[in-house]
Amino acid sequence: MFIHIIANCNHAVSLAKCLRQIDAHEEHIIFIKDVRYHSQDYMSEVVKNFPSTRLLSGNLNITKSECVIIHGIFSNEDFNILSALLNMEIKVVWNVWGGDSRLMGNAELLPTLNRISYLFCAPGELLRYPDMIVPVINCNLYNAGLDDKSAFVSMKEKLIVLGNSADPSNNHEYLLSLIGKFTSYRFVIPFSYNATNDYMLRIQGLLREYSLEDRVDIITRMLSFSDYADLLRKAKAVFFAHNRQQGLGTARLAYELGCQVFMKKIIKQAIDIPTQVNPGYIDLVQMGYVDIHEITIIEHMTEDEFSIFTANRINALPELANNSPREVSRIFSVLKRELWR
C-alpha cells in the first residue's frame, strides 16, 4: 500500500486525478493535511476524483509493509512527520517540491534526509547537493486532467500572469521591469501564500515606480482549481523568473490551457554557485512540455513583436511522456519491486 501525505492545495487535486487515471484505488490512499497559509478547501474535489482519500488527523496506523510518499516538506510539522516515520523504520519516498531544496543544503538535516528510500525530483536537482545520496526517480504524479488544449487559443485576452506566489523567489522586481512597454496588456500577480507585509509594500512601491498600478492586479486570496484554470484560459502568457524554479504545477496547467510559458532555462542560484540548466525546465520538457520559452528574450522584444510571437501559437504536447499514466504505473511497479524484494 502506498500512503500519500499532501497539503490541502491544488496539487492534491492533480494527484487525485493522476491516481484515478492509473486505477490505483486498491493500492493507494491519500491523506490530506490541513495548512495554515490559506482557507481554501480542496478536500471535496480530491475525494470526487479519488474516493480513497482521508483527512490526516492524529497518528497514522502504518506498518512496515507500507510506503509513505510525502509530497513537499514545508514546515517543522512536516519534518517531524518524516522523522517519526523513519524512526518507525517505515519506507518513505519524498516527492520534492519547489521550496524543498533548501533542506538539502542543511548539514544538520542530512543524516535524517539520507535515510529516505527514494526521491521523486527533477533531473539535476541534486547537482548542488553532493552529500545527498538518496536514489532518485524522475517522475511526476500530478495531472491537471485537461482534454483538448488547442480549443483555448481563441479565448485568449491581452493578459499576462506574473509568477505563482508571493514568495520573493518569484523575482517580481525583474518581471515588473520587463512589462512597462506592454501598454495594451493587463497583468495578474498571484500573491496568495508566502506573503509578508514588507514584501507587499515593496511590490506596491515598484508598481508606483514603474507606473503600473492601473494595469496590475494582485490576487491575495487562494483561488480554487477551477478559478485558477479560468484565469489561465484567458491569459496570453505566464512569466516566471525564479533562480530555483517553482510553480511547475502552474506552468503545466498554463501550458495545457494554451498560455505561452516563459522561464529561465539557465539559472544561477547564488553568487558562488556555478550556472546550471534549470531542473524545472528539464522536468517540463521530459513531461512533454517542449514549447517553453526563455524569459530573457522579453528584454529585447517590443510590444508588437511580443504580440506577433505569441499570436495563435498552439503548444505541442506528446501523447507519451514521463507523466503519462503508463509511465506512472511503471514507476510504482518498480518501487514495489525495489522496496519489498
Side-chain angles (χ1 to χ4, degrees), residues 109-318:
L109 302 182
L110 271 176
T112 298
L113 296 178
N114 276 329
R115 294 165 59 197
I116 293 172
S117 298
Y118 283 93
L119 296 185
F120 287 167
C121 66
E125 198 72 80
L126 300 188
L127 284 175
R128 288 182 59 196
Y129 310 105
D131 295 325
M132 189 78 189
I133 56 174
V134 178
V136 169
I137 296 177
N138 177 228
C139 72
N140 194 292
L141 303 183
Y142 310 108
N143 192 317
L146 300 173
D147 297 319
D148 182 13
K149 285 76 180 177
S150 63
F152 303 110
V153 175
S154 61
M155 302 172 64
K156 296 302 179 185
E157 302 174 4
K158 284 196 166 184
L159 174 68
I160 298 173
V161 177
L162 306 176
N164 73 295
S165 75
D167 195 289
S169 64
N170 280 264
N171 205 357
H172 293 105
E173 183 169 359
Y174 172 73
L175 293 175
L176 292 175
S177 74
L178 294 178
I179 64 174
K181 57 191 173 185
F182 296 159
T183 57
S184 65
Y185 282 79
R186 295 183 300 110
F187 305 90
V188 168
I189 301 178
F191 218 76
S192 54
Y193 65 93
N194 287 359
T196 64
N197 289 334
D198 287 345
Y199 193 60
M200 172 63 89
L201 291 173
R202 180 182 170 191
I203 296 303
Q204 290 172 336
L206 289 170
L207 293 180
R208 289 191 294 272
E209 179 181 340
Y210 292 125
S211 301
L212 291 168
E213 292 173 285
D214 295 336
R215 291 191 286 126
V216 176
D217 293 324
I218 299 177
I219 299 179
T220 56
R221 71 186 187 282
M222 182 65 73
L223 298 177
S224 68
F225 188 89
S226 58
D227 286 344
Y228 205 30
D230 286 342
L231 170 65
L232 295 172
R233 283 188 180 93
K234 294 184 287 187
K236 173 74 73 172
V238 176
F239 289 178
F240 294 108
H242 301 78
N243 281 312
R244 164 59 186 85
Q245 184 60 47
Q246 301 178 45
L248 289 189
T250 297
R252 292 177 58 199
L253 184 60
Y255 187 103
E256 293 195 14
L257 288 169
C259 298
Q260 298 307 301
V261 178
F262 294 78
M263 65 173 54
K264 290 186 176 182
K265 296 183 180 180
I266 302 291
I267 58 173
K268 186 175 180 65
Q269 299 192 46
I271 294 175
D272 58 340
I273 298 294
T275 58
Q276 69 172 99
V277 179
N278 183 348
Y281 167 67
I282 300 174
D283 207 18
L284 287 168
V285 171
Q286 288 199 153
M287 286 187 284
Y289 301 85
V290 294
D291 289 332
I292 303 291
H293 312 296
E294 169 61 53
I295 184 64
T296 57
I297 67 172
I298 302 299
E299 298 173 12
H300 312 290
M301 278 188 177
T302 65
E303 179 176 4
D304 287 343
E305 288 170 337
F306 175 79
S307 295
I308 293 170
F309 182 82
T310 56
N312 299 317
R313 295 182 78 107
I314 297 177
N315 294 329
L317 197 61

Side-chain angles (χ1 to χ4, degrees), residues 55-89:
L55 187 65
L56 179 62
S57 59
N59 295 325
L60 285 171
N61 185 20
I62 300 174
T63 69
K64 292 182 181 180
S65 64
E66 296 167 315
C67 172
V68 175
I69 301 177
I70 295 180
H71 297 257
I73 301 176
F74 283 114
S75 65
N76 289 334
E77 179 185 359
D78 295 337
F79 192 81
N80 290 339
I81 291 173
L82 169 66
S83 298
L85 291 169
L86 293 173
N87 289 337
M88 294 165 57
E89 298 184 351

